[in-house]
Amino acid sequence: MQIIDNHTHLNDEPFRGKEQYYLERAKALNVTKVICAGQDPEFNDRAVDLAQRFDNVYAMVGYCPDVAKDYDQKAEDKLIEQLQMPKVVAMGEIGLDYYWDESPRDKQREVFARQIEVAHDLKMPVDIHTRDAFDDCYKILKDSNLEYGAILHSFNGGIDWLNKFLDLNVYFSYSGVVSFTKATEVHESAKAVPMDRFMVETDAPYLTPKPYRGRQNETGYVRYVAQAIADLKEISLEKVADATYANTVRVYGLK
Ligand SMILES: [Zn+2]
């Protein structure tokens, strides 16, 4: 059995200099590949660096909504250069965040749509962060060419949003939230999501799943996210692992 964490921040502060240690702990839990998410120039560089240093680490790069205000031609040129490097497998995380509103909303929308276009030109998928912004996110995705796939990271929508997005070439990545007792809407969507349309992630160091909720998250704990979904779907952990492994390898084009 092998599990992939398709969205983790191994490039973040708590893991610096200890990446090998956390990757070994992950391996002991059958987590054999991880995709390290970028978000701004510094974290993008760190993600690319980790992908170069570790066999089983892949990277994505992008301008998240917080830094959408800084996106310009120079930023785009750099992203295009990084997206063509070995083991950089997606544009991400990109999207909309109307909770923090760190960039003006019209700029967030413009930069989100533009990065989807850039990814499409390079035949790559996009990894999406959306907070308090499902309506606009859906509109932008519907108007975009998603031929190479889009992944909704830490998907916390219910059945209605699941069904709407299922009509597009969108994949649903569940995080530790799916293990939380009170997240009943997410439970319903995880039960209903088709086996060929979902993935699992940690978003570590955030969103620690049960039974470690309250502690710092780490990439190996994606196993507990997969277990929570197996329990909800009333199938084995192996089945969730096999399906999400195949989906992740296919959509991100992992070797
Ligand atoms: Zn993230």
Side-chain angles (χ1 to χ4, degrees):
M1 179 178 75
Q2 295 191 66
I3 307 173
I4 305 178
D5 182 359
N6 92 96
H7 183 120
T8 193
H9 299 277
L10 194 63
N11 47 358
D12 206 347
E13 205 69 59
F15 310 120
R16 282 186 198 160
K18 299 176 231 161
E19 297 90 355
Q20 180 83 49
Y21 167 79
Y22 283 105
L23 289 169
E24 271 163 24
R25 279 170 63 88
K27 213 169 183 185
L29 291 165
N30 297 87
V31 179
T32 55
K33 290 182 171 64
V34 312
I35 305 178
C36 183
Q39 64 200 58
D40 60 30
E42 187 200 337
F43 276 74
N44 291 343
D45 288 350
R46 289 182 184 278
V48 171
D49 176 60
L50 291 176
Q52 286 171 345
R53 280 169 52 205
F54 299 101
D55 260 5
N56 59 337
V57 176
Y58 297 81
M60 55 175 107
V61 294
Y63 269 53
C64 75
D66 289 6
V67 294
K69 56 182 182 287
D70 303 327
Y71 193 91
D72 56 14
Q73 190 57 52
K74 206 175 146 215
E76 188 170 292
D77 292 345
K78 177 78 192 259
L79 284 177
I80 291 171
E81 185 192 316
Q82 289 181 316
L83 286 164
Q84 295 178 91
M85 293 171 77
K87 296 174 76 195
V88 179
V89 294
M91 177 83 97
E93 54 187 282
I94 61 173
L96 303 172
D97 194 318
Y98 294 174
Y99 179 81
W100 291 110
D101 275 330
E102 293 282 346
S103 300
R105 290 184 180 183
D106 56 344
K107 184 71 178 173
Q108 290 190 39
R109 289 189 289 269
E110 177 201 319
V111 169
F112 180 31
R114 176 62 196 157
Q115 289 182 97
I116 296 172
E117 260 179 53
V118 171
H120 178 264
D121 288 346
L122 296 169
K123 302 183 163 47
M124 296 178 94
V126 291
D127 189 68
I128 298 169
H129 168 105
T130 179
R131 187 158 184 199
D132 292 353
F134 269 137
D135 275 307
D136 282 354
C137 179
Y138 179 77
K139 269 183 223 153
I140 288 169
L141 292 186
K142 201 169 162 32
D143 290 341
S144 298
N145 188 331
L146 299 183
E147 190 182 349
Y148 304 104
I151 302 100
L152 288 177
H153 126 71
S154 190
F155 180 66
N156 294 330
I159 290 279
D160 292 350
W161 281 117
L162 177 79
N163 287 332
K164 280 191 88 164
F165 282 111
L166 272 173
D167 290 339
L168 311 176
N169 191 22
V170 164
Y171 296 78
F172 304 85
S173 176
Y174 291 92
S175 68
V177 175
V178 77
S179 73
F180 300 170
T181 313
K182 286 180 182 160
T184 50
E185 286 213 324
V186 188
H187 297 167
E188 292 311 310
S189 91
K191 277 186 212 172
V193 72
M195 290 301 285
D196 61 349
R197 296 292 289 275
F198 77 102
M199 303 178 188
V200 285
E201 66 169 81
T202 56
D203 203 21
Y206 313 106
L207 305 177
T208 312
K210 279 189 6 186
Y212 295 115
R213 208 178 166 185
R215 287 205 241 161
Q216 178 187 283
N217 203 2
E218 59 180 82
T219 189
Y221 292 175
V222 74
R223 182 191 179 105
Y224 304 107
V225 176
Q227 182 66 59
I229 297 175
D231 294 345
L232 287 162
K233 282 187 168 304
E234 299 182 25
I235 57 176
S236 66
L237 172 62
E238 285 74 14
K239 276 214 165 107
V240 172
D242 289 352
T244 54
Y245 189 93
N247 297 339
T248 307
V249 165
R250 187 177 72 250
V251 176
Y252 286 101
L254 306 187
K255 293 277 155 6

